[in-house]
Amino acid sequence: MRKVFYLTLTLLLLLGNLIFAQTKSIVPQPKTMTRAEGHWVLEPGTIIQAATADARKSAAIFNELLEAKAGFQLTIQHQASAEGPVIHLDEAQVGEQEEAYTLSVKDKGVYIKGAGKGLFYGLQSLIQLLEIRGPEVMLPQVEIADAPAFGYRGIMLDVSRHYFSSQQIMKVLDLMSQLKFNTMHWHLTDDQGWRLEIKKYPKLTAIGARRDSTIIGQYYDFQPFIYDGEPHGGYYSQEEARSIVQYAADRKITIIPEIELPGHSSAVLAAYPELGSFDVNKNEGKGTIAALNDKGEPLDNDISSQVPGYWGVHYNIYGPTNQAYQFLEDVLTEVMDIFPGEYIHIGGDEVPKDHWETSALAQKVIKKEKLADEHELQSFFIRRIEQFLNENGRKLIGWDEILEGGLAPNATVMSWRGEKGGIAAAKMGHDVIMTPNSHLYFDHYQSEDKSTEPLAIGGFLPLEKVYAYNPIPADLTAEEGKHVLGVQANLWTEYLATNNKMEYHLFPRALALAEVAWKSREEKDYQSFIHERLPFRLLDLEEKGVFFRIPEADVQISKDAESGRHKVAIKPLVAGARVYYTLDGHKADQTGLLYAGPFLTPIPGAEQKPLTLRYVTVTPGGRSSNEFQVPLE
Ligand code: ACM
């Protein structure tokens, strides 16, 4: 009897600890959250009371998430009856911020208050608090008051280098909305593929959306290059794009479409070569418009007839001609009709200006318009497009190269080559989104040891570095800092051809980014993030079928005073995960020793090398991490 009592007590304590830990696990961490005693049990008979159409839409999305987690949905009603448990949704703005919300779980019911977005975010926090214990679905009693630090919280998806299905885009939108991101920047066009149906220019998708073959590996892997011999393509019909826009809007996400100009346009020019910088009727430009490999050798001398299957910046770009402007205005007219958000992204990055140096068409415009050089020509081109967008009630946003040659009067700048461009633009009084390649390029490697990682473009961007990013540079005054609207991670997909790889590069770094975007620098705390929140959110991602990268465990090595041996303590960063390890220098996998608590390591002899801890983390779902190594020095 005593045994049963102690067993029950231990179980209850364990359960209590887990629930308490889980209570703190909302990502992004709310501004304030206090935990009260007790729980509230969510039952299939619970009512969600939602008086407005928008609140009911958010409640329906909550219901879908609840069904996936708990196997049932709640009834949504305009009015709740006096009897029975109720989640009350009160659509009314909390304080000054449109995205703020309050959430309280009391013994009498759940109350969430916020304007449209705030209410949605309150429901997202609520679902993250859910605890499933056998047949019981519980919510801890809490009081939350929450609001974001930044109004722009984004992720950019490149679907040009590799096409991803609408279903996959929607999966990412779902996950983004659960982390309270509010913007998806959709990189729809680039040298390697045009991905949006444009009714007036059918060749954009008939020709521009498909390439015959794609280079394999990194540029330095094979000389000469090896191509896969497989056609790659795909595009979103306008109907599909509209559904995605609506799907995002229901989840409080705005989509910013990007139509690249004047560079990164060789997929367009494969379809409509007459829009380029050379007179194709006179057969001009051939042989002069080659992209170069890393040795400076031409890759292809006739790129006007097909969509290229290799990466890098391509030389074939729009000409500054009335024909090209007309085309772009026609395209943007259709784009604006599909995407109702205020921003249209026009790219503007990495324009090979030397291409225009060799173009008679471009030189003629420079002379006629009395422009100093090709930089000013780019500025002239972009100002023209900005005027068109502004006349149509939209705002232009572009990469930081749009500063070169003079910034268009109302442009917003996306700072990607570090923070310099963002700082300059903010000082000029322009709005800025920070997305520096030093901290927020999610195509970069997640380990310094590239041999343990799947192929990526390069770089090294660990979770901690993402978390450490502060969007407002120290060089800005408080007033200038207000122009920093927020942050965005960029996911370029040259080396990301599959859904799993897309998810591997997004997660867990998107969880860190969610806190960078939601919390002020003073409120962020990496240790609490990795220990109190990350493990539960990763478990949740596993249940949702997301192929996240399983992070390195927190490994603490100390000296045991008594024995002089190393003491090793390992905390995996996925809740409920196991760790298997070796100390004998050989590969660790699930045949290794199961970690059961801190241990002392053997001491090598005086002339011997230190030992290495090798380990893998295995999730409750059975996925193994890469093998990690830690020298025991
Ligand atoms: C960029 O990475 N070229 C914006």
Side-chain angles (χ1 to χ4, degrees), residues 172-242:
V172 173
L173 285 167
D174 265 330
L175 296 165
M176 283 174 64
S177 71
Q178 289 156 30
L179 296 170
K180 306 185 175 83
F181 285 102
N182 62 8
T183 310
M184 193 264 265
H185 165 182
W186 208 7
H187 188 80
L188 285 162
T189 73
D190 212 305
D191 291 309
Q192 293 82 7
W194 179 282
R195 304 273 174 242
L196 180 67
E197 177 190 23
I198 299 294
K199 303 231 191 248
K200 194 158 183 181
Y201 298 98
K203 285 197 282 181
L204 282 174
T205 42
I207 295 173
R210 182 184 182 280
R211 56 179 183 260
D212 292 341
S213 198
T214 302
I215 182 176
I216 66 167
Q218 269 287 3
Y219 275 133
Y220 45 74
D221 285 342
F222 306 101
Q223 291 291 343
F225 303 143
I226 300 178
Y227 286 82
D228 64 6
E230 295 295 323
H232 178 87
Y235 67 88
Y236 308 93
S237 68
Q238 293 202 353
E239 203 184 334
E240 277 177 296
R242 282 181 210 282

Side-chain angles (χ1 to χ4, degrees), residues 174-459:
D174 265 330
L175 296 165
M176 283 174 64
S177 71
Q178 289 156 30
L179 296 170
K180 306 185 175 83
F181 285 102
N182 62 8
T183 310
M184 193 264 265
H185 165 182
W186 208 7
H187 188 80
L188 285 162
T189 73
D190 212 305
D191 291 309
Q192 293 82 7
W194 179 282
R195 304 273 174 242
L196 180 67
E197 177 190 23
I198 299 294
K199 303 231 191 248
K200 194 158 183 181
Y201 298 98
K203 285 197 282 181
L204 282 174
T205 42
I207 295 173
R210 182 184 182 280
R211 56 179 183 260
D212 292 341
S213 198
T214 302
I215 182 176
I216 66 167
Q218 269 287 3
Y219 275 133
Y220 45 74
D221 285 342
F222 306 101
Q223 291 291 343
F225 303 143
I226 300 178
Y227 286 82
D228 64 6
E230 295 295 323
H232 178 87
Y235 67 88
Y236 308 93
S237 68
Q238 293 202 353
E239 203 184 334
E240 277 177 296
R242 282 181 210 282
S243 314
I244 289 172
V245 167
Q246 186 58 50
Y247 192 85
D250 289 348
R251 286 155 184 78
K252 311 302 177 197
I253 293 175
T254 301
I255 298 187
I256 298 180
E258 180 178 354
I259 303 297
E260 277 265 22
L261 60 94
H264 285 288
S265 45
S266 53
V268 176
L269 301 180
Y272 297 100
E274 63 274 21
L275 300 175
S277 297
F278 292 89
D279 188 336
V280 283
N281 296 322
K282 294 189 192 146
N283 213 25
E284 276 180 3
K286 295 211 170 169
T288 62
I289 52 177
L292 305 177
N293 68 16
D294 55 358
K295 294 200 177 68
E297 298 155 347
L299 287 169
D300 187 338
N301 280 342
D302 182 13
I303 60 173
S304 58
S305 58
Q306 61 176 0
V307 177
Y310 50 88
W311 317 124
V313 177
H314 290 257
Y315 269 59
N316 206 13
I317 62 173
Y318 288 103
T321 62
N322 286 334
Q323 197 180 2
Y325 299 138
Q326 187 58 51
F327 165 84
L328 284 165
E329 290 182 8
D330 291 343
V331 166
L332 290 170
T333 299
E334 292 191 34
V335 167
M336 287 187 292
D337 195 51
I338 301 166
F339 297 93
E342 64 175 346
Y343 284 117
I344 303 289
H345 202 302
I346 55 78
D349 59 320
E350 300 179 316
V351 178
K353 313 261 171 59
D354 47 349
H355 180 64
W356 274 343
E357 281 174 27
T358 63
S359 151
L361 282 175
Q363 292 304 316
K364 205 167 108 193
V365 178
I366 288 177
K367 208 156 157 199
K368 177 160 171 262
E369 301 296 335
K370 301 191 171 45
L371 303 173
D373 54 19
E374 291 72 26
H375 295 297
E376 286 199 4
L377 177 57
Q378 163 167 312
S379 174
F380 175 80
F381 197 120
I382 290 174
R383 280 168 199 257
R384 209 184 140 134
I385 300 296
E386 175 176 68
Q387 193 182 342
F388 175 74
L389 291 175
N390 290 168
E391 280 164 9
N392 284 278
R394 305 303 180 95
K395 284 188 182 163
L396 177 145
I397 186 165
W399 301 110
D400 58 54
E401 288 94 329
I402 65 171
L403 281 152
E404 294 162 1
L407 192 53
N410 306 309
T412 297
V413 171
M414 224 170 228
S415 191
W416 74 278
R417 294 175 301 174
E419 294 184 322
K420 256 194 354 261
I423 292 169
K427 283 187 182 293
M428 288 160 67
H430 285 253
D431 285 343
V432 165
I433 310 299
M434 284 303 195
T435 179
N437 52 5
S438 55
H439 286 76
L440 298 179
Y441 266 42
F442 281 9
D443 52 341
H444 289 184
Y445 278 100
Q446 297 181 72
S447 169
E448 238 172 337
D449 179 1
K450 297 182 174 45
S451 71
T452 62
E453 291 288 315
L455 169 67
I457 195 164

Side-chain angles (χ1 to χ4, degrees), residues 16-318:
N17 274 343
L18 254 168
I19 289 172
F20 184 70
Q22 184 124 346
T23 305
K24 300 193 283 183
S25 82
I26 297 172
V27 170
Q29 186 188 36
K31 223 172 164 53
T32 66
M33 172 159 69
T34 46
R35 170 85 167 88
E37 283 296 312
H39 284 84
W40 198 72
V41 176
L42 200 68
E43 293 162 354
T46 303
I47 302 294
I48 303 183
Q49 184 251 317
T52 62
D54 196 49
R56 280 196 291 282
K57 205 178 262 182
S58 295
I61 291 167
F62 172 86
N63 254 344
E64 285 169 20
L65 296 170
L66 179 66
E67 169 124 53
K69 231 176 147 57
F72 62 84
Q73 296 210 0
L74 308 181
T75 306
I76 303 167
Q77 288 183 189
H78 280 70
Q79 293 291 334
S81 53
E83 299 297 307
V86 179
I87 297 174
H88 302 268
L89 303 186
D90 180 6
E91 191 174 348
Q93 187 160 319
V94 176
E96 302 283 289
Q97 280 176 282
E98 189 214 338
E99 298 185 299
Y101 70 93
T102 55
L103 160 64
S104 53
V105 181
K106 299 188 166 149
D107 51 6
K108 292 209 168 61
V110 176
Y111 303 84
I112 303 177
K113 183 176 173 185
K117 280 185 176 177
L119 212 50
F120 180 84
Y121 295 145
L123 283 162
Q124 294 307 318
S125 289
L126 191 69
I127 200 91
Q128 290 193 29
L129 285 172
L130 273 190
E131 264 298 317
I132 316 279
R133 292 279 157 224
E136 289 223 296
V137 182
M138 292 187 290
L139 286 165
Q141 295 203 12
V142 288
E143 292 285 340
I144 292 175
D146 201 8
F150 293 96
Y152 184 109
R153 304 180 299 280
I155 291 181
M156 191 250 1
L157 294 183
D158 166 16
V159 292
S160 170
R161 274 52 177 268
H162 283 102
Y163 168 78
F164 291 87
S165 69
S166 294
Q167 289 73 16
Q168 180 64 9
I169 301 299
M170 289 183 188
K171 181 176 180 182
V172 173
L173 285 167
D174 265 330
L175 296 165
M176 283 174 64
S177 71
Q178 289 156 30
L179 296 170
K180 306 185 175 83
F181 285 102
N182 62 8
T183 310
M184 193 264 265
H185 165 182
W186 208 7
H187 188 80
L188 285 162
T189 73
D190 212 305
D191 291 309
Q192 293 82 7
W194 179 282
R195 304 273 174 242
L196 180 67
E197 177 190 23
I198 299 294
K199 303 231 191 248
K200 194 158 183 181
Y201 298 98
K203 285 197 282 181
L204 282 174
T205 42
I207 295 173
R210 182 184 182 280
R211 56 179 183 260
D212 292 341
S213 198
T214 302
I215 182 176
I216 66 167
Q218 269 287 3
Y219 275 133
Y220 45 74
D221 285 342
F222 306 101
Q223 291 291 343
F225 303 143
I226 300 178
Y227 286 82
D228 64 6
E230 295 295 323
H232 178 87
Y235 67 88
Y236 308 93
S237 68
Q238 293 202 353
E239 203 184 334
E240 277 177 296
R242 282 181 210 282
S243 314
I244 289 172
V245 167
Q246 186 58 50
Y247 192 85
D250 289 348
R251 286 155 184 78
K252 311 302 177 197
I253 293 175
T254 301
I255 298 187
I256 298 180
E258 180 178 354
I259 303 297
E260 277 265 22
L261 60 94
H264 285 288
S265 45
S266 53
V268 176
L269 301 180
Y272 297 100
E274 63 274 21
L275 300 175
S277 297
F278 292 89
D279 188 336
V280 283
N281 296 322
K282 294 189 192 146
N283 213 25
E284 276 180 3
K286 295 211 170 169
T288 62
I289 52 177
L292 305 177
N293 68 16
D294 55 358
K295 294 200 177 68
E297 298 155 347
L299 287 169
D300 187 338
N301 280 342
D302 182 13
I303 60 173
S304 58
S305 58
Q306 61 176 0
V307 177
Y310 50 88
W311 317 124
V313 177
H314 290 257
Y315 269 59
N316 206 13
I317 62 173
Y318 288 103

